[in-house]
Amino acid sequence: MMEHTTDILIVGGGPAGMMTGITAAQFSPHKKVLVLRPETDAVIPCGIPYIFGTLGGTEEDMAGRAPLLAAGGQLQVGKVASIDRNARTATLENGDLIHWERLVLATGAENFIPPIPGTHLEGVFSIHKDYDYLDKLFSTLIPQIKKLAIIGGGFIGVEFADEIRKRGIEVHIVEMLPHLMQAAFDLDACTAVEKQLSAHGVHIHTGCKVEALLAGADGKRVGKVQIAGQDSLEVDAVLIAIGTRPQVDLARAMGLTLSRSGGVWVDAFQRTREDPHIFAVGDCAHKQDFFTRKANHAMIASQAAAEGRIAGMNLYGLRQLRSNAGSVSVYASEIDGLAFGVAGLTQHQAEQEGFPILSGEARLPDHHPASMPNTTEIFCRVIFAADSLQILGGQVLGGATTGELVNTIGLAIQMHATAPDLVSMQFGSQPRLTPSLHPLVAATGDALQRHYALLHPCVDDSQ
């Protein structure tokens, strides 16, 4: 057994852990920062689906360690077996002991496997953020598949379907809700995604509940997916992509408070309830919605990294302006040229929560003039609170500019921007790079036109 001492110990080396380490090293340069993770080679989580199509290999999706090292942090491979909160020590599985002043849990999430028969069969898999596991999938399992069923029509299911079909594999998505992506988007965006996938040969089964996974002729490997009320679907493999749950075994063993949604309870500075010297960030930490403060299950790398920055800045003293105001839930993805993104509340979600809303829409080309090469139509919808005119959310369908447009909407939400703020926003315009009118400004103008038409209806004085 060996004993080590560090000022800041970060358990977990995903986006949350690495960003905590980088930020802590920058804000506390006199402190020793150590990121401890179980794997030597880490992958970029958002890039995992693309390993199987666009990237063409696990080695093309490697997460670099250079930013952490350049900031002055250290990286060690190992796995924590237990933590003594009182002694402020962490015992590793190999027996080593690490003394710490500040502890950050960034243990991530684990895949949710539904309690249906047959998930133990060979050929049934989920996606883990592990290099060796993914490399084995890519090199041994995927090449043998001719027909794949994906259970779950969220972001992972949709992205994986689009990538795996590029390898000539017949892909079926089985989703229990009436539409794919329904938890994140309004229905018009969902149907656009479904249409794009169908156009590329992906078979979509919505409103379908999987009752069981059945073995094939050998009795060991999955051969069929039994869907309630339908004939069974013959397959060679099944990907379960229903979602994830916070990985909190270590936190539970330490006696930390867990929220009812499963994550480690944290305050606005990512501090745990029991000890202000212990923080939790990323998928293992509880999240609250930006608007309602309800539990929010947005387990995405960008959110995890944002929490890592907050924790890293507040380890040795609170910075009031650097706190977590809640999850805005900014998502974006793309299927063969069709990009789609969302930030904040959808129209359906806002109505379900009881917000009186005002919405506006715009359709316009993303370059000007529209005859410019590679021009794509953008559809932008923005949602405002009808009383305050504060922005609540927005959705975008379009091309390459979609990601940054959604990020702009996300920033507007965090800045509590109102429709008058946005309609008068100054922006740059360049024919090959942008539309002539910013989509957010155009959609906001449409919303305000509706708003003022009700307040000040036009009066016909001709009579």
Side-chain angles (χ1 to χ4, degrees):
M1 182 187 80
M2 297 182 64
E3 291 195 32
H4 311 273
T5 299
T6 187
D7 298 310
I8 301 167
L9 174 62
I10 302 165
V11 182
M18 294 296 278
M19 187 55 67
T20 303
I22 293 168
T23 308
Q26 293 170 338
F27 275 73
S28 303
H30 57 293
K31 297 292 186 179
K32 183 178 179 181
V33 179
L34 175 63
V35 175
L36 182 73
R37 70 184 188 194
E39 63 278 334
T40 302
D41 297 313
V43 296
I44 299 173
C46 297
I48 289 175
Y50 303 99
I51 290 171
F52 301 92
T54 300
L55 293 176
T58 316
E59 67 279 359
E60 304 300 328
D61 187 43
M62 299 298 295
R65 62 184 71 186
L68 173 69
L69 302 180
Q74 297 181 353
L75 184 67
Q76 179 178 331
V77 177
K79 190 170 183 180
V80 173
S82 63
I83 290 177
D84 188 327
R85 284 168 39 203
N86 296 322
R88 296 191 185 180
T89 58
T91 302
L92 307 190
E93 288 187 343
N94 66 1
D96 287 358
L97 193 69
I98 300 178
H99 298 265
W100 49 266
E101 286 184 352
R102 298 291 187 271
L103 174 69
V104 182
L105 299 179
T107 50
E110 56 188 356
N111 292 325
F112 171 64
I113 305 300
I116 58 176
T119 57
H120 66 285
L121 293 170
E122 295 178 9
V124 179
F125 64 101
S126 58
I127 297 298
H128 300 280
K129 302 170 187 177
D130 179 83
Y131 179 92
D132 292 335
Y133 174 86
L134 292 170
D135 199 50
K136 184 177 179 180
L137 278 182
F138 177 82
S139 60
T140 61
L141 178 61
I142 299 301
Q144 302 175 22
I145 297 175
K146 294 182 179 180
K147 189 173 182 180
L148 171 70
I150 300 175
I151 301 176
F155 273 92
I156 293 296
V158 164
E159 290 176 347
F160 200 94
D162 184 50
E163 288 297 306
I164 208 72
R165 60 93 185 165
K166 295 176 182 177
R167 298 174 64 95
I169 297 171
E170 182 179 327
V171 179
H172 294 252
I173 302 179
V174 184
E175 169 57 50
M176 189 166 59
L177 294 176
H179 290 278
L180 304 182
M181 311 293 295
Q182 192 169 332
F185 288 90
D186 285 322
L187 294 187
D188 50 358
C190 298
T191 55
V193 171
E194 292 168 355
K195 182 178 179 181
Q196 188 79 345
L197 284 171
S198 297
H200 289 89
V202 176
H203 303 269
I204 298 172
H205 310 263
T206 52
C208 295
K209 181 180 180 180
V210 175
E211 291 184 325
L213 304 180
L214 308 176
D218 64 359
K220 297 180 179 180
R221 187 179 180 86
V222 67
K224 295 181 180 180
V225 176
Q226 183 61 59
I227 301 173
Q230 298 186 20
D231 293 337
S232 58
L233 177 67
E234 294 188 2
V235 296
D236 300 312
V238 173
L239 166 63
I240 298 176
I242 293 179
T244 58
R245 290 179 172 177
Q247 174 55 267
V248 292
D249 291 346
L250 190 58
R252 184 182 291 111
M254 293 167 61
L256 299 180
T257 299
L258 305 181
S259 68
R260 284 182 292 179
S261 62
V264 179
W265 189 95
V266 291
D267 65 12
F269 302 95
Q270 303 302 134
R271 298 179 303 179
T272 61
R273 176 171 290 178
E274 284 69 25
D275 192 333
H277 301 109
I278 301 176
F279 295 67
V281 295
D283 291 353
C284 72
H286 175 65
K287 294 167 185 29
Q288 292 180 303
D289 180 76
F290 183 84
F291 297 102
T292 66
R293 299 300 183 265
K294 290 183 177 180
N296 182 295
H297 303 282
M299 295 185 182
I300 49 179
S302 56
Q303 178 70 32
E307 293 173 10
R309 288 192 292 271
I310 291 167
M313 288 185 282
N314 290 288
L315 290 172
Y316 285 95
L318 301 188
R319 293 170 171 83
Q320 182 61 42
L321 298 180
R322 296 292 183 268
S323 62
N324 192 340
S327 176
V328 175
S329 300
V330 184
Y331 301 90
S333 191
E334 186 260 355
I335 299 173
D336 199 44
L338 173 67
F340 44 98
V342 61
L345 298 175
T346 67
Q347 182 169 330
H348 176 72
Q349 290 167 347
E351 291 170 344
Q352 288 290 101
E353 290 294 347
F355 287 105
I357 64 170
L358 173 72
S359 65
E361 299 178 354
R363 290 184 183 272
L364 66 166
D366 61 358
H367 301 112
H368 64 283
S371 56
M372 190 68 69
N374 301 316
T375 296
T376 303
E377 182 184 74
I378 298 175
F379 170 72
C380 179
R381 174 186 292 127
V382 284
I383 312 297
F384 299 93
D387 49 3
S388 66
L389 296 183
Q390 180 178 326
I391 188 169
L392 299 177
Q395 291 186 70
V396 180
L397 291 169
T401 58
T402 295
E404 283 310 307
L405 179 52
V406 170
N407 284 340
T408 302
I409 295 172
L411 177 61
I413 293 171
Q414 294 169 72
M415 299 295 291
H416 304 280
T418 64
D421 294 328
L422 296 175
V423 80
S424 59
M425 178 179 73
Q426 298 184 39
F427 58 90
S429 177
Q430 204 283 333
R432 295 181 64 88
L433 302 176
T434 70
S436 57
L437 177 60
H438 197 288
L440 181 55
V441 173
T444 301
D446 180 56
L448 285 178
Q449 184 178 29
R450 300 167 191 261
H451 175 68
Y452 289 118
L454 294 175
L455 293 179
H456 309 291
C458 295
V459 177
D460 187 354
D461 294 328
S462 63
Q463 296 182 357

